Amino acid sequence: MQMTGSMCPDSSIAKEIKCGRSKTTALIHEMASMTKERLIERMRTNVFSISTDGSNDMGSSKLFPLVVRTRNDNEVHREVLSVPTCESSATGEKIFSLIDNFFSLHDIPWSNCIAIGCDNANVMTGTKSGVFAFYKKKNPDIILAGCPLHYVHIAAEKGVEKLPVDVNDLLTDIYYYLNKSALREHRLKGFQVLHGNDQRKMLKYGATRWLSVGRCLDRLLDNWVALK
C-alpha cells in the first residue's frame, strides 16, 4: 500500500516507500506515542485547560475523551490526550477519578490545570458531587467553562415557542403545497428568476431527521420573497 507516495507526491523518496498494514500500524502507534509524550511534558511544565464529555450510553461502558488546550511558543494547541473508559455508573466522582488517575500516573500537577470545559449537566458542574467539585479540591483556583452551545440551544428553543407559527408545520405545509401541483412549482420558478434566486425546489422536512430543519429553513429563507 503506497500511502506515502500519495501523501507526498513531490518526494521521489516517499514514492518508493511501501507500507502494509503491520508497518503502517506500527508507525502510527509510534508517532502517536511521541505526540502524547510531548503533550504530557507541556502539561507538566505549563498551564493548560482540559475538556471532556461522555459518549452515548451504549452497553455498560462509557467513553470520556480528554481534550487538552496548551500553549507552546505562543501557539495554542488543542489535542486529544486520552480516551478513558468508565465501566460502571458515570458519577461525578468516577469521572474525576479517570482524569485524576491519568494525572497521577504521568506526574501532571493539578496546579497547572486552570480550567475545565464541559457541558452543563449536574454530574459535571455540580458543586457538591459533580466533577467540578472534585476539581476544586485539587485546585481551588480552577475555572469552570460551561458549554455556551447548550445555552444558545436553550435560548433558541424558548424563542421559537414565542413565534406565531409552528416552524415544523410551516415547512411541511409549504413543501406539500408545491409538491402536489406542477403549476405551482412552475410559477415558483418564475418568481425565483424574477428575484434573482436559483431555481431550486423546497426541501422536504423529515420529523425523524431533525438535522434537516436547518437545511430546510435555509432554503425557505433564501426563497422567502419569491414564495410570498
Side-chain angles (χ1 to χ4, degrees):
M1 181 167 55
Q2 292 183 300
M3 293 180 61
T4 50
S6 60
M7 292 168 60
C8 309
D10 57 340
S11 172
S12 58
I13 297 176
K15 289 180 180 180
E16 299 301 320
I17 299 177
K18 298 179 181 179
C19 290
R21 173 181 290 185
S22 298
K23 187 185 293 184
T24 302
T25 300
L27 286 171
I28 291 174
H29 285 173
E30 184 63 25
M31 292 167 64
S33 178
M34 294 169 60
T35 301
K36 182 177 180 179
E37 284 302 319
R38 287 196 293 268
L39 172 57
I40 290 174
E41 183 58 31
R42 287 200 302 273
M43 295 172 68
R44 291 193 188 113
T45 57
N46 295 285
V47 296
F48 63 88
S49 64
I50 189 167
S51 302
T52 189
D53 190 16
S55 63
N56 292 332
D57 291 310
M58 299 292 289
S60 59
S61 60
K62 198 170 186 179
L63 302 177
F64 283 89
L66 307 179
V67 178
V68 177
R69 178 177 293 184
T70 60
R71 187 172 65 89
N72 185 40
D73 296 330
N74 294 322
E75 291 185 351
V76 176
H77 300 264
R78 302 171 188 85
E79 299 165 272
V80 176
L81 174 64
S82 178
V83 187
T85 302
C86 184
E87 299 291 352
S88 56
S89 178
T91 64
E93 183 176 9
K94 290 179 180 177
I95 297 171
F96 170 77
S97 295
L98 295 176
I99 304 171
D100 189 41
N101 291 339
F102 187 94
F103 280 23
S104 298
L105 180 63
H106 297 279
D107 297 321
I108 300 173
W110 273 102
S111 57
N112 285 354
C113 185
I114 60 175
I116 168 181
C118 59
D119 62 18
N120 306 304
N122 190 58
V123 69
M124 299 299 297
T125 62
T127 56
K128 293 184 177 180
S129 57
V131 176
F132 182 61
F134 294 97
Y135 275 28
K136 291 286 285 185
K137 293 177 181 179
K138 291 289 186 177
N139 182 1
D141 298 321
I142 199 168
I143 297 172
L144 174 65
C147 177
L149 295 181
H150 283 74
Y151 293 123
V152 171
H153 173 78
I154 293 172
E157 187 178 39
K158 297 299 182 183
V160 167
E161 293 176 357
K162 301 301 180 180
L163 293 177
V165 296
D166 186 293
V167 174
N168 297 340
D169 288 345
L170 178 64
L171 291 172
T172 302
D173 291 344
I174 289 179
Y175 172 81
Y176 282 107
Y177 177 80
L178 296 168
N179 186 60
K180 296 297 182 181
S181 171
L183 176 61
R184 292 169 186 164
E185 287 197 344
H186 179 72
R187 293 184 63 192
L188 174 61
K189 289 180 180 179
F191 283 114
Q192 287 174 325
V193 172
L194 179 64
H195 293 286
N197 295 122
D198 294 330
Q199 295 183 47
R200 307 172 74 182
K201 291 185 176 182
M202 295 299 100
L203 297 176
K204 182 179 181 180
Y205 163 66
T208 58
R209 302 290 183 183
W210 64 270
L211 286 175
S212 68
V213 174
R215 293 185 61 192
C216 293
L217 278 175
D218 286 342
R219 182 67 58 85
L220 177 71
L221 294 175
D222 288 341
N223 292 273
W224 186 248
V225 176
L227 285 166
K228 286 173 64 179

